[in-house]
Amino acid sequence: MSIELGKPADYGQYIVERRYHLALDHAGDALKAGGFYLDVGCGNGAQTVLFATHFKKWIGIDVEEKRLEEFRHELTRQHYPAADAAFEIVIYDGDNIPAGSNEVDVLTCIEVIEHTKDDRATVEELYRVLRRGGTAIITVPNKWWIFETHGAHLPLLPWNRVPFFSWLPRFIHSKYAKARIYQKHQIVRLLKQGGFTIKKALYVTAPMDMIKQPLLQRIARGWIFNKHSTSIPMLATSVMVIATKE
């Protein structure tokens, strides 16, 4: 598989709010406790600034300096409560998280694991930096969503989000896909193997950000995709797992 870097969600997109509200619903006590927060793969910071409002100290890390510059610029351009805390926005190598062992109270890793060189090694590194009793909020793309969310290198098909491509067997998907994709039980197993205790695993309902026609978007969000999580895998773009280090 030729894995490519991902594109972060933009400021104002509904998926950012949806993930945040799900985290509040299922890990709100951990967020309210404050402490030291780490966002692994923070990108442009659109997701980070929501979680960081709960902490007095936080750090956002990413492998792309361009994204980090966008993040810094956004914090300067528009004041977010997160900017009132002690924080760092730093580049890292994608392998070694710049934090000490058992140091982080809460970490997020949003749509990142599927892009790393070794997902098992990434999970082990997440586990290393999280303190005992700490909480990890992790999302990965859901195999059973209708469209391949990260696209694929498909011959003769310039449009790379072909319906049901992600449903193909792994050996075919991995040949053309730009990132890994997971079933819920697969990411749960991966995190358990890395030492985590699973508190909750759920499907994140598709936000319909890609629908540009306002009326159609309102209808979709109001009727079919109205709840933040769903029990129907076909309606979810990703899987969210809330895990702890016991």
Side-chain angles (χ1 to χ4, degrees), residues 143-191:
K143 178 180 177 67
W144 302 118
W145 173 235
I146 299 170
F147 297 98
E148 168 60 55
T149 56
H150 289 86
H153 301 286
L154 298 173
L156 307 179
L157 292 172
W159 187 60
N160 64 12
R161 296 182 186 271
V162 176
F164 305 109
F165 171 74
S166 61
W167 291 24
L168 294 173
R170 179 179 287 187
F171 76 93
I172 298 176
H173 180 268
S174 62
K175 182 177 180 180
Y176 298 104
K178 296 180 179 180
R180 302 181 195 89
I181 203 162
Y182 299 84
Q183 298 181 56
K184 186 197 285 187
H185 73 87
Q186 291 172 332
I187 185 61
V188 165
R189 182 176 65 238
L190 179 65
L191 292 171

Side-chain angles (χ1 to χ4, degrees), residues 38-108:
L38 167 69
D39 189 12
V40 178
C42 64
N44 59 14
Q47 191 75 70
T48 319
V49 294
L50 296 182
F51 285 100
T53 59
H54 298 277
F55 300 89
K56 294 182 178 180
K57 177 183 178 182
W58 61 270
I59 180 172
I61 64 174
D62 201 272
V63 298
E64 291 188 89
E65 183 59 42
K66 177 183 176 181
R67 301 296 186 193
L68 297 179
E69 283 300 319
E70 293 173 5
F71 192 177
R72 297 183 188 104
H73 174 74
E74 186 65 21
L75 280 179
T76 302
R77 186 186 70 84
Q78 181 171 328
H79 180 76
Y80 291 91
D84 294 332
F87 69 88
E88 292 183 83
I89 299 172
V90 298
I91 193 85
Y92 88 118
D93 62 8
D95 295 319
N96 305 292
I97 296 175
S101 298
N102 304 302
E103 184 177 7
V104 176
D105 294 291
V106 175
L107 68 81
T108 52

Side-chain angles (χ1 to χ4, degrees), residues 14-32:
Y14 193 45
I15 185 58
V16 173
E17 294 287 340
R18 177 154 277 176
R19 294 179 191 134
Y20 175 62
H21 286 297
L22 276 175
L24 284 178
D25 289 342
H26 299 284
D29 290 343
L31 296 179
K32 293 172 185 175

Side-chain angles (χ1 to χ4, degrees), residues 180-244:
R180 302 181 195 89
I181 203 162
Y182 299 84
Q183 298 181 56
K184 186 197 285 187
H185 73 87
Q186 291 172 332
I187 185 61
V188 165
R189 182 176 65 238
L190 179 65
L191 292 171
K192 283 183 175 179
Q193 290 172 343
F196 284 100
T197 297
I198 308 302
K199 295 300 182 182
K200 188 75 175 181
L202 47 90
Y203 290 108
V204 181
T205 308
M208 297 292 103
D209 285 316
M210 295 299 104
I211 297 179
K212 301 306 179 184
Q213 212 289 331
L215 178 60
L216 290 178
Q217 189 181 75
R218 285 198 299 271
I219 292 172
R221 289 177 178 171
W223 290 87
I224 302 174
F225 302 91
N226 56 323
K227 295 182 179 180
H228 291 319
S229 64
T230 177
S231 60
I232 304 172
M234 285 179 60
L235 299 183
T237 51
S238 59
V239 178
M240 175 179 283
V241 182
I242 311 296
T244 60

